[in-house]
Amino acid sequence: MADHSEFNIGELAREFGVTTRTIRHYEEIGLLQPMRRGQARIYSPADRTRLKLILRGKRLGFSLDESRAIVDLYDPARGNKEQLQALLARIQQQRDKLNAQLTDIKQMLSSLDDAEESCRKALKKARKQEKKQTKTQANKKGKT
Amino acid sequence: MADHSEFNIGELAREFGVTTRTIRHYEEIGLLQPMRRGQARIYSPADRTRLKLILRGKRLGFSLDESRAIVDLYDPARGNKEQLQALLARIQQQRDKLNAQLTDIKQMLSSLDDAEESCRKALKKARKQEKKQTKTQANKKGKT
DNA sequence: TTAGAAATTTACGTTTACGTAAACGTAAAT
DNA sequence: ATTTACGTTTACGTAAACGTAAATTTCTAA
């Protein structure tokens, strides 16, 4: 059951937090090609890794077609010299894209710092206002 | 025209590499609310910034609804203490998500390094094979 | 002032990435 | 033997994010 030499669809779905429908969908479009035992799909550790890569791509906003291309970078149909050169180029393109995302993320994180700061300032003001209110109310009570 | 105090839809579309349809779509779902001069849409620098933030979110794979939430982080309806606290929490959540993406990207970049290395090795082999071929052909020519 | 470029609205179409329902097979436990 | 908990195929549905076409108006430069 848990020997980790093979997996069934439910195990993978649970592990990665997706539905079985999702995994079957990836098979429909040729992203996964598990073995069969009778009707049932049997996933190898390599299949599991492919799925993991696809889902990582998803988290970064890649389409399934882009993810397919990415997976192919790691597990290419090793061909002739021209194909290897082309592969190198695609690897570099992918790197460029990821580095662009890095830039975007860093900018966003820095903006978040600003947002947090101005938020904290607003909170301090709000607290001050609150104290004033409390004092006023205390006075009122005193007068009562 | 280019005084940068206002923009029309075509200028923004060109600047950010999207179609006017896209920008109008963002208006349809309430992400942008440009002024009107007659029928024509007039975008302020603030509108332009919003658009820039939305598109940055898109590049990172966020849905338009997520992008809306992100933009609201920077430009919130400054409310009471509870709302400010909630805002702080959302800011932190967003930070967490971005940091998770950072991890994914770093892992991908490292995998790309591996892929490139194995690709370069394969290339060297291919070149060696080529040299052998060349020599053989040279021999053949010599024999001819 | 008139052609042409760029703007507008309306509305239906398309792609991606699954969701969902129906109808059924399989295997283990009771 | 039947319930339970998976699995399967088939096929239509759907939400998001625009694309695209048509018909119209509005600027702008010659």
Side-chain angles (χ1 to χ4, degrees):
Chain A
M1 257 216 176
D3 68 352
H4 292 174
S5 78
E6 51 183 60
F7 311 85
N8 64 33
I9 197 168
E11 288 169 347
L12 290 186
R14 250 166 280 140
E15 174 174 5
F16 293 115
V18 298
T19 67
T20 58
R21 176 69 181 92
T22 296
I23 297 179
R24 288 200 198 93
H25 177 63
Y26 294 166
E27 183 175 346
E28 282 175 18
I29 64 174
L31 274 175
L32 294 173
Q33 303 173 56
M35 296 286 100
R36 295 293 181 124
R37 177 167 308 139
Q39 265 194 322
R41 295 168 170 82
I42 305 294
Y43 297 86
S44 71
D47 290 328
R48 178 173 165 278
T49 298
R50 279 182 77 90
L51 177 56
K52 186 152 76 171
L53 293 178
I54 294 162
L55 294 176
R56 177 190 290 165
K58 258 199 64 174
R59 289 198 298 274
L60 294 176
F62 298 140
S63 72
L64 293 182
D65 259 17
E66 287 174 316
S67 284
R68 184 206 313 282
I70 292 171
V71 174
D72 287 349
L73 291 184
Y74 303 145
D75 183 22
R78 257 65 195 306
N80 56 31
K81 232 182 31 172
E82 288 76 35
Q83 287 172 326
L84 286 170
Q85 290 285 6
L87 178 57
L88 275 180
R90 273 180 289 144
I91 288 175
Q92 187 53 42
Q93 280 178 25
Q94 184 59 32
R95 232 197 297 265
D96 291 345
K97 188 166 182 191
L98 289 174
N99 281 322
Q101 285 198 331
L102 268 184
T103 301
D104 280 334
I105 289 181
K106 283 175 185 167
Q107 288 177 358
M108 266 207 187
L109 281 173
S110 144
S111 299
L112 284 179
D113 288 345
D114 298 348
E116 172 161 6
E117 196 187 327
S118 83
C119 185
R120 291 204 182 282
K121 279 189 182 171
L123 249 182
K124 279 194 181 176
K125 266 198 180 175
R127 289 197 218 283
K128 274 190 190 172
Q129 282 301 115
E130 201 183 50
K131 280 196 179 178
K132 277 189 186 174
Q133 277 298 115
T134 308
K135 274 189 183 175
T136 309
Q137 286 184 349
N139 287 341
K140 274 187 182 173
K141 270 195 181 174
K143 278 177 182 175
T144 309
Chain B
M1 258 219 175
D3 68 353
H4 292 176
S5 78
E6 50 183 59
F7 311 84
N8 65 32
I9 196 168
E11 288 170 346
L12 291 186
R14 251 166 280 139
E15 174 174 4
F16 293 114
V18 299
T19 67
T20 59
R21 176 68 182 91
T22 296
I23 296 179
R24 290 199 195 93
H25 177 64
Y26 294 166
E27 183 176 347
E28 284 174 17
I29 64 174
L31 274 175
L32 294 173
Q33 303 172 56
M35 298 283 98
R36 295 292 182 125
R37 171 140 51 231
Q39 266 195 320
R41 295 167 172 83
I42 306 293
Y43 297 86
S44 71
D47 290 328
R48 178 173 165 280
T49 299
R50 279 182 76 90
L51 178 56
K52 186 154 73 171
L53 292 180
I54 293 162
L55 295 177
R56 178 191 289 166
K58 259 198 64 174
R59 289 197 297 274
L60 294 176
F62 298 141
S63 73
L64 294 183
D65 259 18
E66 287 173 316
S67 285
R68 182 206 313 280
I70 292 171
V71 173
D72 288 348
L73 291 184
Y74 303 145
D75 182 21
R78 259 64 195 308
N80 56 31
K81 230 181 37 171
E82 287 76 36
Q83 286 172 325
L84 286 169
Q85 290 285 7
L87 179 55
L88 276 181
R90 272 181 290 144
I91 289 175
Q92 187 54 42
Q93 279 177 26
Q94 185 59 32
R95 231 197 297 266
D96 291 345
K97 188 167 181 191
L98 290 174
N99 281 321
Q101 285 198 330
L102 268 183
T103 301
D104 279 334
I105 289 181
K106 283 174 186 168
Q107 288 177 357
M108 264 207 189
L109 281 173
S110 145
S111 300
L112 284 179
D113 288 345
D114 298 348
E116 171 160 7
E117 196 189 327
S118 82
C119 184
R120 290 203 182 285
K121 280 188 183 174
L123 250 182
K124 278 194 180 176
K125 265 199 182 176
R127 290 198 217 284
K128 273 190 188 171
Q129 282 303 114
E130 201 184 51
K131 279 194 177 177
K132 275 189 186 174
Q133 277 299 115
T134 309
K135 273 188 182 176
T136 309
Q137 286 184 349
N139 286 341
K140 272 186 181 173
K141 272 193 180 176
K143 278 177 183 175
T144 306

